Amino acid sequence: MLKTRIIPCLDVKDGRVVKGINFLDLVDAGDPVKQATYYSQNGADEICFLDISASLENRKTMIDVVSKTAEEVFIPMTVGGGVSSIENIRSLLKAGADKISINSAAIKDELFIKKSSEHFGSQCIVVAVDAKKIGSNWIVFSHGGTVNTNINALKWLENIQKLGAGEVLLTSMDRDGTKSGFDLDLLKAATNILDIPVIASGGIGTKEHFFEGVSYGGASALLAASVFHFNEFSINDIKNFLLKKNIKVRINE
Amino acid sequence: MKKKIAIIDYGLGNVLSAQQSFNKVIKEYNLSASTTITKDPNLIDSSTHVVLPGQGAFKSCMSGLEKVSGMVDSLEKFALKNKKPFLGICVGMQLLAIDSEENGKHLGLGWIKGHIKKMPTKKLKMPHMGWNEVIPKLKTKSRLDFKKSDYYFVHSYYFECDDEKNILAHTNYGINFASIVFKENIYGVQFHPEKSSDQGLGLIKSFISL
């Protein structure tokens, strides 16, 4: 049976991890390769790097991070943050990334999704969607959740599937950073209308939240950052918790 | 004898990931082996092992392979005549079939009798993406050693074997499908051993030892 994936996300700025694991003396909290290796040896099903560098120049360091990680880490690696051209995607894939997450560039030009999935295959194109509830609708926000695009999020999700996205990374801006759990109504609405897998993100604070995301929200994968980095619980803690609740997960042997 | 492993680069498939995983195994176990990424059919002859990765649509992979002048002939000589160890990964595995129904009917290499068909969705998310259990068949003539464990999959089509004896392992996603096929020296894996952590590297180690 297919397992629910648990994905730690590492924010990388100018080639260094921001808010890395800070509980192990052995691990350099700023070294992306060491962080990714640690997670892959401790139950992560995939690794996600999000480049939050401010300038284009500094984003080039990401290529180096990706290629060094690919030499050491043998689980799938998703890279996102500021990806805006076919050339960007090509260089990240060539460096060893397996999937590329695109966000603002897809909103600016939706055909970018079509072009990139036709070019590289749907399996490596993840579209990240940041949504916020306004009135009774969820609206897409771009540029790290700062710009209101006035696009209806559920319509946008249907659209990106049609355009060839292989997977969706869905973040609730209302819940992100609050530790109050996923926006389950948003997640459920999204997984109901989509045939492609949805990675849920934004709001995880407890183990119960992971369970809800799968059982009620229908997520195929769960992505979190700070709860892992600050060792509130480990990936294996969550997996053991989910197993007890009859959610199938991959256990390291 | 030093093993010489050729990883075929025909513009489709993550050849670098494949190479890095093989290199990791070689280094970790101190094996006498080396890897080369190549699009030169002449290099196939002098290799001891060939790996054929593949990503994207069946048709673009098959025509990509055919576009490399002399490549299909060299591979056939390597795998069918000289019977040296060959490993197809993901679409590289699917190319071993007679044909595929992905976006029309397209011919494959036809080394293992079977057809590439669309996975029935049955309300399941597609592609079949993530970790799923690979269950080895109990009695086979295969020498490839691998663990019954979870491996990483990304695909929407599967290999339907004409002959049960070419199935080495199966996986369930809505249906039971062949996750590893084989015929003598030829192996094909639907999942990505290069992305399947220690168990994936274990399979690669066993392939190198063939």
Side-chain angles (χ1 to χ4, degrees):
Chain A
M1 207 172 137
L2 187 64
K3 309 300 190 288
T4 296
R5 289 169 280 154
I6 307 290
I7 309 172
C9 181
L10 296 159
D11 287 355
V12 179
K13 193 178 180 189
D14 308 336
R16 300 281 293 169
V17 175
V18 185
K19 298 188 294 192
I21 310 165
N22 58 2
F23 54 92
L24 276 183
D25 295 341
L26 299 168
V27 176
D28 171 358
D31 183 339
V33 183
K34 289 201 174 119
Q35 293 272 324
T37 307
Y38 173 82
Y39 279 124
S40 86
Q41 289 167 350
N42 288 277
D45 295 307
E46 293 182 32
I47 293 288
C48 179
F49 283 129
L50 182 64
D51 193 354
I52 55 166
S53 303
S55 72
L56 206 60
E57 195 49 42
N58 289 341
R59 279 202 194 117
K60 287 186 183 145
T61 58
M62 199 61 198
I63 303 287
D64 194 40
V65 167
V66 170
S67 78
K68 285 195 175 121
T69 306
E71 282 173 29
E72 295 299 329
V73 174
F74 297 94
I75 58 174
M77 175 175 20
T78 302
V79 183
V83 175
S84 60
S85 68
I86 293 287
E87 208 34 62
N88 282 161
I89 299 177
R90 191 195 315 278
S91 50
L92 287 166
L93 290 176
K94 215 175 155 193
D98 299 287
K99 300 188 245 186
I100 305 300
S101 162
I102 56 180
N103 189 339
S104 300
I107 295 165
K108 199 173 152 204
D109 172 18
E110 61 176 40
L111 287 180
F112 182 48
I113 302 171
K114 191 169 177 347
K115 276 183 226 155
S116 50
S117 61
E118 278 175 359
H119 213 95
F120 303 104
S122 288
Q123 80 287 342
C124 54
I125 304 301
V126 181
V127 178
V129 176
D130 296 335
K132 194 179 169 96
K133 194 154 194 184
I134 298 179
S136 57
N137 290 316
W138 288 284
I139 304 296
V140 177
F141 277 64
S142 71
H143 298 86
T146 58
V147 178
N148 182 343
T149 66
N150 290 315
I151 299 169
N152 179 297
L154 298 180
K155 286 199 179 124
W156 176 236
L157 288 170
E158 281 187 306
N159 201 17
I160 58 183
Q161 173 167 292
K162 251 181 247 157
L163 290 163
E167 202 172 20
V168 166
L169 169 57
L170 181 62
T171 305
S172 157
M173 298 312 296
D174 300 307
R175 299 302 179 93
D176 202 27
T178 65
K179 297 198 173 185
S180 59
F182 294 115
D183 180 340
L184 291 173
D185 295 331
L186 168 65
L187 187 55
K188 194 171 186 179
T191 56
N192 274 340
I193 58 169
L194 292 174
D195 300 324
I196 55 176
V198 174
I199 307 168
S201 149
I204 290 178
T206 68
K207 291 181 205 168
E208 198 68 40
H209 292 153
F210 284 88
F211 174 68
E212 292 166 355
V214 186
S215 64
Y216 186 82
S220 298
L222 306 154
L223 180 138
S226 54
V227 290
F228 298 137
H229 305 333
F230 298 113
N231 201 27
E232 288 166 31
F233 29 78
S234 71
I235 294 177
N236 285 324
D237 290 341
I238 293 152
K239 287 188 163 180
N240 286 324
F241 178 80
L242 291 176
L243 261 190
K244 277 186 204 139
K245 297 243 180 195
N246 280 323
I247 304 281
K248 298 274 184 276
V249 289
R250 180 178 72 99
I251 297 292
N252 269 5
E253 287 147 51
Chain B
M1 186 190 69
K2 188 171 176 181
K3 310 273 172 80
K4 281 156 75 177
I5 303 154
I7 298 160
I8 310 298
D9 180 16
Y10 55 107
L12 293 130
N14 198 337
V15 285
L16 187 74
S17 287
Q19 185 181 39
Q20 277 162 336
S21 61
F22 274 76
N23 285 348
K24 175 80 178 179
V25 170
I26 291 167
K27 199 174 135 197
E28 189 105 348
Y29 296 96
N30 206 8
L31 305 178
S32 172
S34 64
T35 61
T36 326
I37 291 176
T38 183
K39 51 182 83 173
D40 179 4
N42 297 315
L43 266 182
I44 306 299
D45 234 6
S46 56
S47 302
T48 60
H49 293 62
V50 163
V51 180
L52 182 68
Q55 226 170 44
F58 184 95
K59 185 184 170 229
S60 34
C61 284
M62 195 60 208
S63 53
L65 195 60
E66 282 168 337
K67 260 182 222 151
V68 186
S69 169
M71 184 55 90
V72 172
D73 288 344
S74 286
L75 292 177
E76 287 186 339
K77 187 178 167 204
F78 179 91
L80 301 179
K81 186 166 165 256
N82 297 336
K83 297 196 183 296
K84 292 199 235 173
F86 180 97
L87 178 66
I89 298 174
C90 197
V91 185
M93 169 251 213
Q94 297 188 350
L95 293 179
L96 301 173
I98 294 169
D99 55 25
S100 167
E101 61 170 35
E102 184 178 358
N103 307 322
K105 198 165 185 173
H106 306 287
L107 290 179
L109 293 166
W111 296 355
I112 294 180
K113 297 240 177 320
H115 309 273
I116 306 306
K117 304 216 154 160
K118 197 170 178 59
M119 303 274 293
T121 61
K122 295 182 181 170
K123 290 186 183 166
L124 294 168
K125 298 285 178 198
M126 282 294 154
H128 171 221
M129 183 189 284
W131 298 78
N132 202 339
E133 196 175 21
V134 170
I135 303 155
K137 218 156 78 175
L138 289 178
K139 281 182 187 165
T140 68
K141 287 180 178 168
S142 155
R143 287 165 53 223
L144 186 72
D145 191 25
F146 58 94
K147 228 165 98 177
K148 176 182 175 184
S149 185
D150 290 325
Y151 295 77
Y152 188 79
F153 289 83
V154 189
H155 64 119
S156 304
Y157 289 80
Y158 72 100
F159 199 127
E160 190 182 73
C161 283
D162 286 353
D163 192 339
E164 185 78 12
K165 73 170 193 289
N166 293 132
I167 300 173
L168 185 49
H170 76 267
T171 294
N172 186 277
Y173 189 63
I175 52 162
N176 275 332
F177 65 92
S179 42
I180 309 182
V181 295
F182 88 112
K183 190 185 170 186
E184 299 172 88
N185 54 309
I186 301 164
Y187 293 89
V189 290
Q190 180 61 71
F191 51 86
H192 289 272
E194 76 281 16
K195 292 289 162 186
S196 296
S197 193
D198 294 344
Q199 52 273 43
L201 298 180
L203 184 145
I204 289 168
K205 179 176 175 247
S206 168
F207 176 71
I208 297 174
S209 76
L210 294 177

